Amino acid sequence: MPRTVFLTGVAVTAALFAAGAWEHRWIADDGLIVLRTVRNLLAGNGPVFNVDERVETNTSAAWTYLVWFFSWLTQARLEYVVLGLTLTLSVTAVVVGMLGSARLWGGPAGRLLLPAGALVYIALPPARDYASSGLESGLVICWLAVLWYFMIRWAQAGAVRPAGYFGLVFLAGLAPLIRPEITLVGALALLVLVFAPVPETSLRPWVFRLLTVAVAGLVPIGYQIWRMGYYGLPYPNTAVSKDAGGAKWQQGFTYLGDFVGPYHLWLPLLILAVSAFVIVRPQRLSTPALRSPAMVVLVMLVSGVALTVYELRVGGDFMHGRMLLPQLFCLLLPVMVLPVRLSGNAAHGNRVRWLVPAGVVITAAWALWACGTCAVQTGTSVGASGIVDERIYYVLGTGHDHPIRAEDYLDYARMRPMLRHIGETPDGALLLNLPSQMVWHIVPPPLPVPEGGAGHTVFFLNLGMTSMNVPLDVRVVDQMGLAYPLAAHTDRLENGRIGHDKNLAPGWVVVDAEMVDRQPWIPLHIDERYVIRARAALSCPATQDLLASTRAPLTFTRFRHNIQQAFGFASYRTNRNPSYELQRCGLEDPIQPVAPR
């Protein structure tokens, strides 16, 4: 009976999560950004966003290549491939997490393993939103769940087989490719694995540990060397664009409150913590050994707390709940299911027998309530906090209940006019648009136009919907710098919207795209003097070296130079004001001030 109850609970939980995720199915604009890179990979252009610039616009390298592999394998439409992957990985994560928790609490007969923490996770609207968003959220929690399961299995095994051990080590070593900040989880797991007692093998302990480090680092170190040479950066360009090392504590706590507050998330977490304490306390556990289930639990709890602190420091995100889901998943893994005794002794039986079931019941009741709770954001506009319910925002913005295909986003403002303008300018053009404006400004190329046209460049914030609705030879760049190094390496706006706190003025793009830089061909709101100074500022040798790292032909010499300068390129910043940038670089102002009479 206990086994049947447990398996039924797993099946029902997985089915509920799958149904909820399907009801919330969509592909985010940021999810479409991933697909632009996959399109270029499939077309033979390499892992780039624009064919003429080597930029890593996707934070999760593993997600990019996973989507590419299944797209190549199935030859199915990219949006449907990524939708199927995200749904599958998300549901698998919950199932594997529950199996790992069952191994932790399993043991003597007379126990029922009931869903607990799993109900908390699947009840949250953001969890259901990002189970099908096209982003790497499903991959992240699936990796966490699989690592958790095999770590528990390793800790409980009587004899450790080298093949299984090194498989676990390899899995933990993949952390930097899953997401850069998830490296913390992999590093803690590897510390435990490396310094735990060595299994019985013919190898000496120091050789075995050295081999462990080599297996763990084989793929991530190899990819890191390639990344530095190919992209000229030690981490994805998104980390430069969003200044992932910066501190915005106040905004971080706002983001935490935006996630916890609407659902009173503290209540189920407190109940689950008390329930787990009641179960564990009678066992009087001593200090956990390195190879023990208690140490694995500690790794996950410390990881969850540390990742939360990191997210608070960087200011969270603009998408409601998204960047705190992995942290919550880490904290819930040990209590995905909880054991309920069918009988107890006189000393503590009643306490365990009634308190824990009561906790599970209250948690389930909370989950039912949370399932019907709307997020704090309505999605109709971006509030003062800068945080928005991203799925609802685009549902309302496109008029589609489930915006999944790229053409669904053509009903978003400005998209259809953009395509019309591209079709009407066969000689090429720069299409400029600002968030506060609803019209496109068309800047033509200078004469004579080269044979075949000068090409098109689109300057717009929403990279995903834009890039997936235009051919690969149309260059798409943004003022934030997610796909545009010139914008990514500007200074951060101190009080800008989180995740959008860089804003390169369009005058720079006029120069960089080599379009006509005089009025009336440029929009009236762009000062000609600004453009002239921007052109002079772009001649800064250090800036030219930075741009060459992504635009120059990838020779062996360039690859080596990129590796040598990768950390310098990552820290290099320019000033968005051309006048100040000229001063910073020690260049002469091309517009001499008029002397007063």
Side-chain angles (χ1 to χ4, degrees):
M1 177 182 173
R3 181 179 179 82
T4 302
V5 170
F6 167 66
L7 293 178
T8 301
V10 171
V12 170
T13 303
L16 288 173
F17 189 37
W22 181 256
E23 183 184 1
H24 287 219
R25 65 191 181 279
W26 69 308
I27 302 294
D29 180 68
D30 283 33
L32 294 176
I33 292 176
V34 176
L35 298 188
R36 167 78 167 201
T37 299
V38 174
R39 281 176 66 197
N40 274 304
L41 276 168
L42 293 171
N45 299 323
V48 297
F49 188 82
N50 290 308
V51 294
D52 58 351
E53 205 162 37
R54 297 181 298 275
V55 180
E56 189 176 16
T57 57
N58 306 334
T59 305
S60 173
W63 182 236
T64 299
Y65 290 101
L66 190 66
V67 174
W68 165 78
F69 173 76
F70 279 98
S71 299
W72 168 81
L73 183 67
T74 63
Q75 295 296 302
R77 180 169 179 143
L78 293 181
E79 293 94 327
Y80 297 147
V81 170
V82 79
L83 180 67
L85 276 176
T86 50
L87 284 169
T88 301
L89 289 170
S90 298
V91 175
T92 300
V94 172
V95 171
V96 175
M98 295 177 74
L99 294 176
S101 182
R103 290 188 70 96
L104 172 69
W105 296 113
R111 284 185 173 190
L112 292 179
L113 294 172
L114 301 180
L119 296 178
V120 173
Y121 188 81
I122 71 169
L124 292 171
R128 302 198 298 275
D129 284 350
Y130 293 102
S132 67
S133 63
L135 295 165
E136 71 281 354
S137 303
L139 174 64
V140 172
I141 64 170
C142 191
W143 179 85
L144 289 170
V146 174
L147 180 69
W148 156 253
Y149 177 84
F150 283 106
M151 286 285 288
I152 287 291
R153 185 176 176 180
W154 164 78
Q156 293 177 335
V160 177
R161 296 180 179 180
Y165 173 83
F166 285 114
L168 176 57
V169 166
F170 181 81
L171 176 68
L174 293 178
L177 304 183
I178 303 298
R179 266 192 76 93
E181 68 269 27
I182 299 297
T183 301
L184 172 69
V185 187
L188 289 177
L190 285 171
L191 281 175
V192 172
L193 290 167
V194 169
F195 291 103
V198 174
E200 292 185 9
T201 65
S202 59
L203 299 175
R204 295 183 179 181
W206 69 269
V207 175
F208 188 87
R209 290 191 169 97
L210 187 62
L211 185 59
T212 297
V213 174
V215 170
L218 179 64
V219 173
I221 292 176
Y223 183 81
Q224 182 65 15
I225 293 171
W226 179 84
R227 167 189 276 157
M228 292 168 69
Y230 188 80
Y231 295 113
L233 289 174
Y235 34 72
N237 184 66
T238 51
V240 179
S241 172
K242 299 189 178 184
D243 273 352
K248 282 195 170 184
W249 286 101
Q250 183 177 355
Q251 178 63 29
F253 281 103
T254 299
Y255 188 68
L256 178 65
D258 181 83
F259 180 50
V260 173
Y263 319 109
H264 304 291
L265 188 55
W266 58 269
L267 177 61
L269 292 180
L270 178 62
I271 291 172
L272 292 175
V274 171
S275 298
F277 177 77
V278 169
I279 297 169
V280 171
R281 187 181 177 187
Q283 300 178 20
R284 298 179 181 178
L285 295 177
S286 58
T287 302
L290 281 175
R291 188 181 163 212
S292 67
M295 179 56 69
V296 179
V297 170
L298 186 62
V299 165
M300 288 301 168
L301 294 182
V302 170
S303 297
V305 172
L307 288 173
T308 301
V309 172
Y310 169 76
E311 204 59 44
L312 294 179
R313 183 181 187 275
V314 300
D317 191 45
F318 63 94
M319 299 186 193
H320 170 68
R322 177 199 167 199
M323 293 307 295
L324 287 174
L325 289 175
Q327 290 85 331
L328 176 65
F329 197 78
C330 272
L331 297 175
L332 289 175
L333 279 171
V335 291
M336 281 290 192
V337 298
L338 283 177
V340 175
R341 286 184 181 273
L342 299 178
S343 61
N345 60 41
H348 63 271
N350 289 335
R351 178 180 60 194
V352 175
R353 188 174 181 182
W354 294 112
L355 187 56
V356 177
V360 172
V361 170
I362 295 173
T363 300
W366 173 90
L368 286 172
W369 169 80
C371 277
T373 301
C374 294
V376 67
Q377 305 292 340
T378 63
T380 55
S381 61
V382 179
S385 68
I387 305 166
V388 70
D389 185 328
E390 191 83 346
R391 184 183 69 86
I392 297 298
Y393 182 87
Y394 283 118
V395 165
L396 296 173
T398 63
H400 293 270
D401 290 338
H402 306 288
I404 293 173
R405 302 172 303 170
E407 55 261 37
D408 293 338
Y409 280 90
L410 289 177
D411 292 319
Y412 189 80
R414 310 174 184 87
M415 287 295 99
R416 293 190 189 278
M418 175 194 71
L419 294 183
R420 186 178 68 252
H421 290 313
I422 291 176
E424 293 171 348
T425 53
D427 289 340
L430 168 64
L431 280 67
L432 296 175
N433 192 280
L434 299 179
S436 60
Q437 299 175 348
M438 294 298 292
V439 298
W440 289 97
H441 299 281
I442 314 301
V443 182
L447 298 175
V449 177
E451 185 178 354
H456 289 89
T457 297
V458 180
F459 183 59
F460 190 49
L461 177 65
N462 299 88
L463 285 174
M465 65 179 74
T466 306
S467 64
M468 283 297 288
N469 280 298
V470 297
L472 292 177
D473 60 357
V474 174
R475 188 166 179 244
V476 181
V477 294
D478 63 310
Q479 55 264 52
M480 277 177 50
L482 286 176
Y484 195 24
L486 192 60
H489 289 269
T490 57
D491 291 321
R492 194 177 193 182
L493 292 169
E494 192 66 29
N495 297 313
R497 182 192 176 197
I498 189 66
H500 298 74
D501 43 12
K502 292 192 175 180
N503 189 13
L504 188 72
W508 291 91
V509 191
V510 171
V511 175
D512 190 44
E514 299 181 351
M515 297 295 168
V516 175
D517 58 1
R518 294 291 185 271
Q519 291 176 350
W521 294 276
I522 60 174
L524 293 177
H525 65 267
I526 300 179
D527 191 333
E528 285 186 5
R529 294 171 299 176
Y530 189 101
V531 176
I532 293 171
R533 288 189 171 109
R535 184 179 299 281
L538 272 180
S539 67
C540 178
T543 303
Q544 285 297 308
D545 191 25
L546 171 72
L547 295 177
S549 70
T550 63
R551 298 177 180 179
L554 191 63
T555 62
F556 176 77
T557 301
R558 167 54 55 188
F559 191 89
R560 181 181 61 192
H561 181 71
N562 280 359
I563 291 177
Q564 294 170 343
Q565 300 298 321
F567 286 95
F569 288 148
S571 61
Y572 183 72
R573 294 293 182 272
T574 61
N575 197 297
R576 69 179 57 82
N577 186 313
S579 297
Y580 296 152
E581 176 62 9
L582 289 169
Q583 297 176 23
R584 185 195 69 83
C585 205
L587 297 174
E588 184 178 350
D589 191 334
I591 301 177
Q592 298 300 327
V594 179
R597 295 182 179 179

